[in-house]
Amino acid sequence: MSPVIEVRDLRKTYGAGDTAVHALRGLDLTVEKGEYLAIMGASGSGKSTLLNILGCLDVASSGQYLLDGIDTGEFDEEQLSLLRNRKIGFVFQSFNLVPRTTALANVELPLVYAGVRRAQRRERALAALDLVGLKDRVHHRPNELSGGQQQRVAIARALVTSPAIVLADEPTGNLDTESSRDVLGILDRLNASGRTVVLITHEDEVAAHAMRTVRVVDGRVAGVLV
Ligand SMILES: Nc1ncnc2c1ncn2[C@@H]1O[C@H](COP(=O)(O)OP(=O)(O)O)[C@@H](O)[C@H]1O
Ligand SMILES: [Mg+2]
């Protein structure tokens, strides 16, 4: 196996001086290709900060992050966003869909950024929506969908670019039990088809879907639970 994510002595400080918050304090983490990793830890321990850096949505203050062997520290913002578009699918607790546009248009969006032509965009977005069981909801807007359906649209959007890595920050945090089960089932299938999945949760039942769980305490990886 080869690592797809390698993080060494990662530090992230928000703000400066007296009000500085040290969110990550020398965090080390390796994730193998095809792994399904759960990240647990108390609120405020730095989990989202870590995932945002892994997803190239934010950069560390210091330390090293190798993504697929590439040192992301040498990249500028534009290169990082290209890397993100090509390799990473991100799923948020609050879905983060574009409100006044259809499920289909939401899922097509990453392909617009990737420069995929309209006909192919449509075809791939429809296939992704089909994969999450929303074939009959493609023309609905987010406010016409349940929370679980909105999260499935968000997952379709995350996987439409065929990313090697799917990062999910408490994806079931706003969902009822049945919708949570749907979403976790989809993540399980994505992992079974070879994608690396990294998921943040504070529920043991959710973490049980992963192969490995790490616990973040005060901005560092504490114990490794199998
Ligand atoms: N954009 C930000 N600006 C300032 N402080 C932040 C910001 N994001 C997170 N923090 C702080 O960093 C710490 C870690 O936050 P976070 O990574 O969101 O933790 P978790 O996801 O584990 O709850 C917290 O103390 C939080 O208040
Ligand atoms: Mg968080």
Side-chain angles (χ1 to χ4, degrees), residues 42-49 93 169-170 200:
S43 175
S45 57
K47 305 181 298 297
S48 294
T49 298
Q93 177 173 0
D169 192 348
E170 306 201 33
I200 294 175

Coordinates of all heavy atoms in Angstrom, one line a residue, residues 42-49 93 169-170 200, ligand 2:
A42 N -13.1 15.7 20.6 CA -14.0 16.7 21.2 C -14.2 17.9 20.2 O -13.4 18.1 19.4 CB -13.5 17.1 22.5
S43 N -15.3 18.6 20.4 CA -15.6 19.8 19.7 C -14.4 20.8 20.0 O -14.0 21.0 21.1 CB -16.9 20.4 20.2 OG -17.1 21.6 19.6
G44 N -13.9 21.4 18.9 CA -12.8 22.4 19.1 C -11.4 21.8 19.1 O -10.4 22.5 19.3
S45 N -11.3 20.4 18.9 CA -10.0 19.8 19.0 C -9.2 20.0 17.7 O -8.0 19.6 17.7 CB -10.2 18.3 19.3 OG -11.0 17.7 18.3
G46 N -9.8 20.5 16.6 CA -9.1 20.8 15.4 C -9.4 19.9 14.2 O -8.8 19.9 13.2
K47 N -10.5 19.1 14.3 CA -10.9 18.1 13.3 C -11.2 18.8 11.9 O -10.7 18.4 10.9 CB -12.1 17.3 13.7 CG -11.9 16.6 15.0 CD -13.1 15.7 15.4 CE -14.4 16.5 15.6 NZ -14.3 17.5 16.7
S48 N -12.0 19.8 12.0 CA -12.4 20.5 10.8 C -11.3 21.3 10.2 O -11.1 21.3 8.9 CB -13.6 21.5 11.0 OG -14.8 20.8 11.4
T49 N -10.5 21.8 11.0 CA -9.3 22.5 10.5 C -8.4 21.6 9.8 O -7.9 21.9 8.7 CB -8.5 23.1 11.7 OG1 -9.3 24.1 12.4 CG2 -7.2 23.8 11.3
Q93 N -21.2 19.0 6.7 CA -22.3 18.8 7.6 C -23.6 19.5 7.1 O -24.7 19.0 7.2 CB -22.0 19.2 9.0 CG -23.1 19.0 10.0 CD -22.7 19.2 11.4 OE1 -21.6 19.6 11.7 NE2 -23.7 19.1 12.3
D169 N -17.0 16.0 6.5 CA -17.0 16.6 7.8 C -18.4 16.4 8.5 O -19.3 17.2 8.2 CB -16.6 18.0 7.7 CG -16.2 18.6 9.1 OD1 -16.5 18.0 10.1 OD2 -15.7 19.8 9.1
E170 N -18.5 15.5 9.4 CA -19.8 15.2 10.1 C -20.9 15.1 9.1 O -21.9 15.8 9.2 CB -20.0 16.2 11.2 CG -18.8 16.3 12.1 CD -19.2 16.8 13.5 OE1 -20.4 16.6 13.9 OE2 -18.4 17.5 14.1
I200 N -15.1 12.7 9.5 CA -15.2 13.2 10.9 C -16.5 12.8 11.4 O -17.6 13.0 10.8 CB -15.0 14.7 10.9 CG1 -13.6 15.1 10.5 CG2 -15.2 15.2 12.3 CD1 -13.4 16.6 10.4
Ligands
MG2 MG -15.7 20.6 13.2

